[in-house]
Amino acid sequence: MSILSDKITLNLDGDAEVLVSGFIAPIEYTQRNYHVDWDELANLKAAEAEKQYPASIFQAFMSKKSVSVGECWQIEEEGALTLLRQLNPRPQLELDVAGADSFGLWACLRAYNDAFAEILFRIHAEFVLERGWFAPSQFAGHLVIDRLEKRIAAFKMHVPEATLNFDVRWRIREGLRASDIGFCPKMELYAGAQDVLQDAKFTEAITQAEALQALMLRFYKSAQINWVPLEEALEMAPAQQKPIHAVSVNGPLFDESC
C-alpha cells in the first residue's frame, strides 16, 4: 500500500457537543458457561445508554499534525478511556488477560474530500469487573468529520462480530483465577448518521481493508509475514530453494480472542 503525499489538517469546533449511545447485548456463549454461572458476566450491560460529550473528547482521535491518507498515528489515551467508561466504569489499556502485543490505540486516515474525512481506528482495552476482567478482541471503529462545520458527522466504536470475540478471567476466590472465551453479539458506542458517506466521492482514499491492514501492522509483527497455505508452500519451496516453516494455531493471530 502506498501512502499518498497530500496532507490535511483536521479540527473540531470546541463548542460543539456529541450525543453518544452505548449498548451491550447479552452474552450468547462462553465455552465454560461463565455467562450463566457468573452473575456479573450474565448481567453485563452498558453503564450509560446515552451521554453528551464535548467535541474535544474526539480530538483525541485526530493527529496533531497534518496527515496523508493511509498514515497512522496514536490516539490519546484519556479521550478513549473517557468514551469507554460509558460502556463500563473501569476500562484499562494495559491488559491483564492478554500479552505484550495487546497494548495500543491507533488511528488511520482512510479518505477525505472537501466536505468529509474518515478516520478508522483500533483500540485494545479491557474492563475491570468486581471479580475479574473482560477483554474484547478489539475495539474497532470509524470517525467521520464534517470538515466544513468542524463537527462529528458519525462515530462508531464496536467489538467486531466473530465466532469468539472476547476473553474473560474470573477470580473465583482469592488465589484462584479461571479463564474462558465467548461471544457477545453487540458491544458498541455510536453517534450520528452511519450512512453519511454512502454516496461520497473522495479526493484521496484507500480501501477499508487497506486501512485495517495498516492498523493491524501497528500491533502484530506476525501480520508482516506473507502467509501461504501448506499446499502452496510445498510448490514454492523447491522452486525458491527455501525451507518450509509450518505453523499450526487453533485460532486467529490477529486479535485477543484466540
Side-chain angles (χ1 to χ4, degrees), residues 29-38 168 170 172 177-182:
Y29 169 79
T30 52
Q31 288 184 338
R32 298 180 178 179
N33 272 344
Y34 282 10
H35 68 302
V36 176
D37 300 333
W38 182 7
V168 69
W170 184 7
I172 298 174
R177 299 179 180 183
S179 300
D180 203 353
I181 192 168

Side-chain angles (χ1 to χ4, degrees), residues 35-223:
H35 68 302
V36 176
D37 300 333
W38 182 7
D39 289 345
E40 193 175 8
L41 200 59
N43 298 316
L44 191 68
K45 60 182 180 180
E48 297 182 74
E50 289 189 338
K51 187 172 182 179
Q52 200 87 10
Y53 294 92
S56 59
I57 291 295
F58 296 90
Q59 196 74 46
F61 287 76
M62 301 179 203
S63 172
K64 290 183 170 62
K65 301 183 294 184
S66 298
V67 289
S68 304
V69 165
E71 191 172 346
C72 296
W73 62 91
Q74 289 184 298
I75 298 168
E76 291 182 1
E77 294 182 8
E78 191 50 46
L81 287 170
T82 297
L83 289 165
L84 285 169
R85 289 186 188 106
Q86 186 174 346
L87 290 175
N88 185 278
R90 298 171 67 192
Q92 66 180 20
L93 301 173
E94 294 186 8
L95 276 60
D96 183 274
V97 172
D101 288 345
S102 305
F103 179 80
L105 310 87
W106 288 90
C108 177
L109 179 62
R110 191 194 77 82
Y112 75 88
N113 56 25
D114 291 340
F116 296 105
E118 183 183 36
I119 294 169
L120 266 57
F121 61 84
R122 177 171 181 156
I123 295 170
H124 289 188
E126 69 182 11
F127 299 131
V128 181
L129 308 179
E130 289 299 322
R131 295 182 60 192
W133 299 263
F134 182 95
S137 57
Q138 60 170 290
F139 287 97
H142 75 144
L143 187 65
V144 180
I145 301 158
D146 184 324
R147 300 184 67 195
L148 302 177
E149 297 187 15
K150 295 184 178 180
R151 66 177 182 87
I152 301 298
F155 166 77
K156 185 175 182 179
M157 180 193 295
H158 71 289
V159 178
E161 188 171 338
T163 304
L164 299 168
N165 64 0
F166 72 84
D167 288 304
V168 69
R169 186 170 294 172
W170 184 7
R171 190 171 55 244
I172 298 174
R173 61 176 183 270
E174 191 63 35
L176 177 61
R177 299 179 180 183
S179 300
D180 203 353
I181 192 168
F183 169 67
C184 180
K186 183 174 290 189
M187 179 177 289
E188 65 181 22
L189 297 169
Y190 58 93
Q194 298 302 311
D195 60 352
V196 66
L197 296 180
Q198 185 172 353
D199 299 317
K201 298 186 184 305
F202 295 109
T203 304
E204 292 188 4
I206 58 175
T207 66
Q208 181 171 335
E210 288 174 323
L212 293 177
Q213 176 69 13
L215 291 170
M216 187 188 299
L217 287 170
R218 298 292 174 167
F219 291 89
Y220 302 108
K221 292 183 179 180
S222 58

Side-chain angles (χ1 to χ4, degrees), residues 15-28:
D15 295 327
E17 291 196 338
V18 183
L19 180 64
V20 177
S21 299
F23 181 74
I24 300 177
I27 293 171
E28 291 189 357

